[in-house]
Amino acid sequence: MGESVHGPGDAGGLVLVLNSGSSSVKFAVLAPASGERVLAGMAGQVGTPEAELQVRRYPGRVVTEQLPEGSYEAVISRILGHLPEAGLNAAGDGPAGPGRARLAGAGHRVVHGGERFTASVLVDDEVIAAIRSFSRLAPLHNPSNLDGIEAVRAVRPGLPQVAVFDTAFHHTMAPRAFRYAVPEEWYTRYGVRRYGFHGTSHRFVAERAAALLGRPLAELRLVTAHLGNGCSAAAVRDGRSVDTTMGLTPLEGLVMGTRSGDVDPGLIGYLARRSGLTADEITDALNNESGLAALSGRGNDMRAITAAAAAGDERSRLALDVFVHRLCRAIAGLVASLGRLDALVFTGGIGENSAEIRSRALHRLGFLGLAEDPVANASHGRGTGGRVSLPGPVQALVVPTDEELMIARDTARVIAGD
Ligand code: ADP
């Protein structure tokens, strides 16, 4: 990332990466080989007359534009409208001209690929229908992801598009890791199993960690901890996911910003009887009103919670205690799935930036052979090739994730037919 050398992938053109949500679209236009950004930004309030687009053209400032039409198509049109200018502007550190600014394709983050999609795929009518069929499993995400795909089709009909699935990396989990002990028909008829999410990030940081460790990914056993607003950890053996903390939905597993993570499923019936809330209302609260926000009573921002805990706020201290406790329990469980640990990888907004959470986790996990290097950890591993542990057979690393770059690379590769 950030290198100004243009590798062969750039010759194939730039990639538009889209993460289309229910009311927002995050995007980047980048060179897949170098990771160099040409454009990046976000559209908010999509689908309303208040829609606005924030665009950063590299190198340059963020500009905000109103989009009264507000549709996904209007957003995509406007993003693409920036491209010719941006391509020329970005020529300061490399050759200008049509090759640089050519858009080779669009890569979409798609949350749920069900059991079918085990890798990134070129989008066609049949793929769209399959993604739609998995909307039942991800009703908050897949329909918006498809809105983005349809909008690009409408605005640039001939542009190749690639779907990159959050679930795909975890398709290598064995049945013992992905099956729930529930009635068989729930699995065969309704697809109730563990799928796992954040796969693009786990895959990216696992590859990067191997490079930083100077060892082949094919012989490493890693636990990757993606700790952002959503949090999940994965057991990656020889480059393949063998276990992960998220399940049928992204609600399972670790404590997150507003998601509870694991709870006793018995609480749904109990609360329904006691409170009169419906199953949907309880699930909504577990997704949106729980987690760090519920425990701390101060919202889901880890920075604010850490600061409040340091100032003596009891609820914030409890929120951190529960977060770290559950994280460590999950990591140790994933090591059981691996049989051996070579490195623990921290990523995501919390994993990359919170020296305190990492420090507490590493102390709790000392029995696995991990020991914090306090100086390296305080500087987030910046001067030590990502390493935040003392040198030894089991390492802890900070590896900044870059899901957009992974999506761009997959898109270029799939379009090239590799
Ligand atoms: P998302 O999952 O939405 O992509 P991020 O990966 O950006 O989110 O992570 C957001 C989380 O990272 C928030 O809890 C935020 O408070 C936390 N975070 C960001 N910067 C810091 C920091 N310097 N110290 C501690 N936590 C941080």
Side-chain angles (χ1 to χ4, degrees):
M1 249 191 315
E3 296 104 305
S4 58
V5 178
H6 295 273
D10 303 47
L14 301 171
V15 175
L16 168 64
V17 174
L18 289 167
N19 181 355
S20 308
S22 57
S23 64
S24 71
V25 176
K26 289 188 194 142
F27 68 92
V29 175
L30 66 160
S34 64
E36 187 191 343
R37 261 69 174 174
V38 172
L39 278 183
M42 182 175 161
Q45 311 225 50
V46 178
T48 76
E50 281 77 50
E52 63 174 33
L53 184 67
Q54 294 181 332
V55 192
R56 177 160 178 212
R57 286 192 227 152
Y58 288 82
R61 290 178 176 282
V62 176
V63 292
T64 302
E65 299 169 354
Q66 303 306 312
L67 279 173
E69 203 194 311
S71 65
Y72 282 90
E73 284 180 28
V75 170
I76 303 295
S77 266
R78 195 66 206 100
I79 294 170
L80 294 179
H82 278 275
L83 200 52
E85 311 153 56
L88 295 175
N89 288 345
D93 62 349
R100 281 282 332 274
R102 191 176 74 83
L103 190 65
H108 297 263
R109 176 186 184 202
V110 179
V111 166
H112 218 303
E115 282 197 321
R116 164 164 170 186
F117 293 110
T118 57
S120 303
V121 290
L122 205 56
V123 171
D124 59 19
D125 289 341
E126 201 266 324
V127 166
I128 288 177
I131 294 172
R132 187 162 290 124
S133 76
F134 300 133
S135 291
R136 288 194 206 98
L137 289 164
L140 302 178
H141 295 105
N142 274 29
S144 318
N145 303 155
L146 280 172
D147 284 340
I149 291 174
E150 301 280 14
V152 172
R153 266 195 165 186
V155 175
R156 278 281 193 99
L159 190 71
Q161 301 200 66
V162 172
V164 180
F165 300 92
D166 266 28
T167 48
F169 181 56
H170 302 297
H171 85 277
T172 43
M173 285 193 293
R176 64 170 178 261
F178 76 67
R179 287 293 296 273
Y180 293 112
V182 297
E184 181 77 4
E185 197 192 11
W186 293 6
Y187 171 55
T188 52
R189 188 155 177 197
Y190 305 118
V192 171
R193 53 158 281 181
R194 309 183 66 250
Y195 293 94
F197 298 87
H198 286 145
T200 310
S201 178
H202 290 296
R203 183 161 56 107
F204 181 85
V205 299
E207 287 178 12
R208 189 87 190 102
L212 288 167
L213 291 166
R215 293 175 60 183
L217 185 59
E219 61 184 46
L220 282 173
R221 300 194 193 182
L222 306 171
V223 170
T224 50
H226 177 110
L227 310 176
N229 277 315
C231 299
S232 74
V236 183
R237 180 175 177 162
D238 308 339
R240 296 150 69 92
S241 171
V242 294
D243 208 348
T244 190
T245 55
M246 284 179 169
L248 173 70
T249 74
L251 186 54
E252 188 177 332
L254 305 177
V255 171
M256 316 184 204
T258 64
R259 285 180 227 155
S260 60
D262 289 342
V263 291
D264 179 347
L267 79 69
I268 296 180
Y270 171 77
L271 268 181
R273 289 189 300 275
R274 287 294 302 269
S275 69
L277 291 168
T278 64
D280 279 348
E281 287 166 341
I282 295 166
T283 307
D284 186 61
L286 291 172
N287 271 297
N288 299 310
E289 295 162 28
S290 300
L292 290 169
L295 286 169
S296 71
R298 287 176 181 263
N300 62 348
D301 186 335
M302 181 56 94
R303 282 163 291 205
I305 297 167
T306 312
D313 181 66
E314 284 300 327
R315 287 184 64 183
S316 297
R317 282 189 182 169
L318 177 68
L320 296 184
D321 285 349
V322 176
F323 183 87
V324 171
H325 177 79
R326 296 271 296 272
L327 173 64
C328 292
R329 226 172 55 161
I331 290 169
L334 292 168
V335 174
S337 299
L338 289 171
R340 179 189 86 219
L341 182 67
D342 295 318
L344 168 63
V345 180
F346 290 99
T347 195
I350 297 171
E352 293 168 30
N353 298 301
S354 177
E356 178 170 344
I357 294 291
R358 290 193 306 263
S359 172
R360 291 182 58 169
L362 291 175
H363 281 99
R364 286 285 297 272
L365 294 170
F367 69 95
L368 291 174
L370 286 159
E372 180 196 9
D373 177 334
V375 176
N377 189 41
S379 63
H380 311 294
R382 285 198 189 106
T384 49
R387 184 179 50 76
V388 293
S389 58
L390 295 172
V394 187
Q395 298 278 290
L397 300 176
V398 172
V399 178
T401 194
D402 192 343
E403 289 158 279
E404 288 174 343
L405 176 56
M406 200 74 192
I407 293 172
R409 283 186 193 158
D410 271 21
T411 302
R413 188 173 45 76
V414 170
I415 290 173
D418 293 345

